[in-house]
Amino acid sequence: MSLRPAGARIPGSAAEDTLLMTSEITTNALLHTPEPGGHGAFVVSAFFYARCLRISVRCSTGGAGSGSPPRAVPLRPQSAHALAEHGRGLALVDALATAWGSEPARRGQAVYFTVDWAPADSASTERSPAPRAGFSSHAAGR
């Protein structure tokens, strides 16, 4: 699977980190957002900028007629036991992403992360897109 669309100049390390983080949050979507009948549903969106990539995984967590507005569940990286087979996904995202968080979606919630890299041309000033209001956000290393 390649994360580099035609003409994109995404450094290899950023692409590898993005693939790992996308795998982690889509796995979480499959494991933790069941629809009625035991099926999870989610949509992955990718937004490419000059020196930034934003991935969003939107999960559907309820029926259309549930009557309650969607709300984002606060997400926090957890410490996992050294021999545990699960529990490191958000810690990886927290360590590798420039920023990440969750926000309400139409029928559930979305988890997103951004990855920035140094511009090939130092004259570029484009930054990561600002997250929308009403969400939980984390910046790596802060």
Side-chain angles (χ1 to χ4, degrees), residues 75-79 87-95 100 138:
L75 302 175
R76 292 176 196 79
Q78 302 291 320
S79 297
R88 293 181 184 83
L90 290 180
L92 283 169
V93 173
D94 192 52
W100 70 277
H138 305 274

Side-chain angles (χ1 to χ4, degrees), residues 61 66 68-72 104-109:
T61 59
S66 66
S68 58
R71 65 180 177 86
R106 187 171 174 202
R107 288 182 43 213
Q109 96 175 30

Side-chain angles (χ1 to χ4, degrees), residues 24 27-28 31-32 77-92:
E24 292 297 335
T27 298
N28 284 350
L31 295 175
H32 301 296
Q78 302 291 320
S79 297
H81 184 273
L83 300 176
E85 293 182 13
H86 302 284
R88 293 181 184 83
L90 290 180
L92 283 169

Side-chain angles (χ1 to χ4, degrees), residues 126-137:
E126 185 172 344
R127 299 278 313 152
S128 300
R132 296 183 298 193
F135 67 97
S136 163
S137 182

Side-chain angles (χ1 to χ4, degrees), residues 26-109:
T26 55
T27 298
N28 284 350
L30 282 170
L31 295 175
H32 301 296
T33 59
E35 279 286 305
H39 304 292
F42 64 94
V43 174
V44 178
S45 301
F47 304 92
F48 296 90
Y49 301 90
R51 60 184 183 99
C52 173
L53 173 64
R54 183 182 197 267
I55 301 289
S56 175
V57 177
R58 187 179 70 236
C59 303
S60 176
T61 59
S66 66
S68 58
R71 65 180 177 86
V73 176
L75 302 175
R76 292 176 196 79
Q78 302 291 320
S79 297
H81 184 273
L83 300 176
E85 293 182 13
H86 302 284
R88 293 181 184 83
L90 290 180
L92 283 169
V93 173
D94 192 52
L96 296 173
T98 303
W100 70 277
S102 62
E103 57 195 4
R106 187 171 174 202
R107 288 182 43 213
Q109 96 175 30

